[in-house]
Amino acid sequence: MEKIELDKICVRFKDHTVLKDFSLKIPSGQIIGIVGPSGCGKTTIARSICGFINPESGSIKIDGKLMCSRQSHVNIPPEERKIGVVFQDYAVWPHLSVYDNIAYPLKKRKAPKDQINDQVQFAMEQVNLKGYDKYMPSQLSGGQQQRVAIARALTSSGDLLIMDEPITNLDAKLREQLLVEIRLMQQRLGTTIIYITHDQEAAMQLCDRIAILNPDGSIAQIGTDEEIIKNPASRFVFRFIGVSNFLPVILKDGKVVLENDQSIVIEPIVPDSWPAGQDQADLGIRPMDIVIDSSSSIRASVTQSVFLGNMYNYFISLGGLDIRVQRITGQDNETECKEGQNIGVKLLQKRYFKREEKA
Ligand SMILES: Nc1ncnc2c1ncn2[C@@H]1O[C@H](COP(=O)(O)OP(=O)(O)OP(=O)(O)O)[C@@H](O)[C@H]1O
Ligand SMILES: [Mg+2]
């Protein structure tokens, strides 16, 4: 069952089209990450689902029920959409205690008093804030304040939460901890969560599936973290997820050679993954997938070598291109290469992308 269905929504601010025929189906009981660069339209998607923006065309359904469609003259107000929201800048109210902050959505809905108490206690338990009822936000750490915001979202809706960069302002360790807590809470409650962030690592850690958006707001790829890492749909996705090197390559005499230095043969035959109909491409490769191997005919020189305790981080010059290489200490009898040294490299896990896809 789809929890949310966005069907070809268009959102425009004056002459700036942010979302064009944007469609996305979000199944019940999953955490879906929406990830993309700043300004691509993530918050606009969240605000449209919540009802703060009414898309000029297309429709949004929640639990199969139409929430908005100009064509059908439907636009359900935000408070009737039953969505719990945690926005980065949607802070807790400083003048209300933890209890009153979390109880607020229920009081607004005029829920019975004993029901309010039960739900607030339940929500506080879910975010590890038990016993903090009387604390004021000023007496809480940043992480605890975010927990209050999450608990408040939970009392708005136990089954659909939208979190838009909820933990971006926290330090790394706390972020990690909250991600684990959000995951555990979601598993306990079966909540559907839309988790919006530009932090692809957090999304990978937390989400069942991730939608990666292009800078123009269209979907570049939807999949599990594994699918996205193993099979990036485009050059943009490959670059967005982790550190990457790109080498311009061309076809010459049936071989793949480096464009800058055509004497460097990358592949003796054209690989199956070569983009059809192209005579040039960009070879994408991760720093971990470059192996130093003295027997290789692909020669490079080491321009910088940094020892990081458990790995070597190299910059090498390959046909005049600066390439990053990462080798784990102790792997394959790896010994340190010195700056200026001439080395052979083997390129594993090569991916070829069409040239014009530059982002
Ligand atoms: N109310 C508005 N009026 C005019 N332009 C807007 C409005 N809201 C958003 N935009 C524009 O729409 C585009 C998308 O904004 P949005 O906030 O959805 O991006 P985002 O992906 O959430 O970015 P970030 O990662 O920085 O939060 C931006 O170019 C922004 O300037
Ligand atoms: Mg945003």
Side-chain angles (χ1 to χ4, degrees):
M1 167 82 180
E2 306 298 346
K3 185 74 188 172
I4 303 182
E5 209 172 329
L6 306 179
D7 188 29
K8 293 190 179 153
I9 65 166
C10 291
V11 176
R12 201 163 39 148
F13 299 108
K14 297 212 175 80
D15 54 357
H16 178 195
T17 301
V18 178
L19 298 174
K20 186 167 181 286
D21 291 334
F22 184 88
S23 298
L24 182 64
K25 287 181 182 170
I26 295 169
S28 233
Q30 291 196 352
I31 306 192
I32 297 292
I34 297 183
V35 185
S38 185
C40 72
K42 303 181 295 296
T43 297
T44 304
I45 295 168
R47 290 173 57 80
S48 302
I49 297 172
C50 292
F52 303 123
I53 293 175
N54 186 12
E56 65 179 54
S57 61
S59 66
I60 297 175
K61 287 181 185 163
I62 297 179
D63 289 325
K65 192 171 164 239
L66 194 59
M67 292 291 125
C68 66
S69 159
R70 292 213 186 175
Q71 202 186 356
S72 309
H73 306 287
V74 172
N75 187 19
I76 308 286
E79 61 275 14
E80 288 174 30
R81 295 193 185 191
K82 298 205 191 80
I83 303 173
V85 185
V86 186
F87 283 125
Q88 179 183 356
D89 52 1
Y90 188 66
V92 293
W93 288 292
H95 60 289
L96 294 182
S97 67
V98 167
Y99 186 97
D100 289 337
N101 260 289
I102 300 172
Y104 185 84
L106 297 164
K107 285 185 177 161
K108 211 173 144 202
R109 222 188 285 152
K110 301 201 168 44
K113 229 177 179 171
D114 53 341
Q115 190 192 327
I116 292 181
N117 191 49
D118 285 354
Q119 286 201 37
V120 172
Q121 295 303 339
F122 176 77
M124 287 206 294
E125 220 168 290
Q126 298 308 315
V127 298
N128 291 329
L129 276 182
K130 230 177 154 211
Y132 280 86
D133 310 44
K134 294 200 171 66
Y135 278 68
M136 297 304 284
S138 60
Q139 298 171 298
L140 301 178
S141 70
Q144 287 168 329
Q145 289 187 28
Q146 282 310 85
R147 288 195 178 98
V148 174
I150 295 169
R152 187 179 51 195
L154 271 178
T155 60
S156 296
S157 165
D159 65 6
L160 176 56
L161 300 187
I162 297 184
M163 301 183 168
D164 188 351
E165 304 277 11
I167 54 172
T168 307
N169 288 335
L170 306 176
D171 70 54
K173 211 169 143 204
L174 205 52
R175 274 207 306 269
E176 187 94 352
Q177 190 183 336
L178 266 171
L179 285 177
V180 172
E181 285 179 20
I182 291 171
R183 186 59 174 169
L184 290 174
M185 178 192 85
Q186 187 270 340
Q187 285 170 342
R188 277 196 306 271
L189 303 180
T191 316
T192 306
I193 298 181
I194 300 177
Y195 190 91
I196 295 176
T197 182
H198 62 265
D199 178 355
Q200 34 89 15
E201 275 184 37
M204 298 241 175
Q205 187 183 335
L206 184 69
C207 300
D208 294 301
R209 285 163 79 233
I210 300 167
I212 298 181
L213 303 192
N214 286 312
D216 71 359
S218 61
I219 291 179
Q221 186 166 7
I222 301 181
T224 62
D225 51 355
E226 198 179 337
E227 285 162 1
I228 290 170
I229 291 170
K230 284 196 176 153
N231 263 322
S234 66
R235 178 193 161 109
F236 171 76
V237 172
F238 185 77
R239 204 174 89 168
F240 195 70
I241 304 295
V243 184
S244 51
N245 293 298
F246 288 103
L247 291 71
V249 288
I250 58 168
L251 291 186
K252 194 182 167 199
D253 307 329
K255 297 173 187 161
V256 177
V257 302
L258 210 61
E259 187 171 54
N260 293 33
D261 181 344
Q262 299 179 9
S263 68
I264 298 179
V265 177
I266 304 291
E267 312 237 26
I269 53 165
V270 183
D272 292 342
S273 57
W274 185 265
Q278 304 290 310
D279 54 11
Q280 55 178 27
D282 283 329
L283 162 58
I285 188 158
R286 304 279 186 210
M288 301 291 235
D289 292 329
I290 302 179
V291 175
I292 295 161
D293 182 337
S294 55
S295 69
S296 174
S297 61
I298 303 176
R299 308 303 299 180
S301 66
V302 178
T303 49
Q304 199 188 9
S305 162
V306 182
F307 180 59
L308 295 171
N310 62 343
M311 68 166 82
Y312 296 108
N313 222 346
Y314 300 114
F315 280 92
I316 63 170
S317 174
L318 176 62
L321 300 167
D322 281 326
I323 306 292
R324 281 175 80 151
V325 179
Q326 240 171 31
R327 302 310 306 158
I328 307 283
T329 318
Q331 187 177 290
D332 306 327
N333 300 321
E334 212 83 44
T335 52
E336 189 182 358
C337 299
K338 301 274 177 272
E339 286 168 17
Q341 190 179 334
N342 181 279
I343 55 169
V345 290
K346 272 200 173 138
L347 311 178
L348 314 175
Q349 295 280 346
K350 298 184 278 284
R351 292 169 213 280
Y352 296 96
F353 299 104
K354 259 172 82 173
R355 189 65 71 81
E356 70 270 10
E357 266 185 61
K358 274 199 172 87

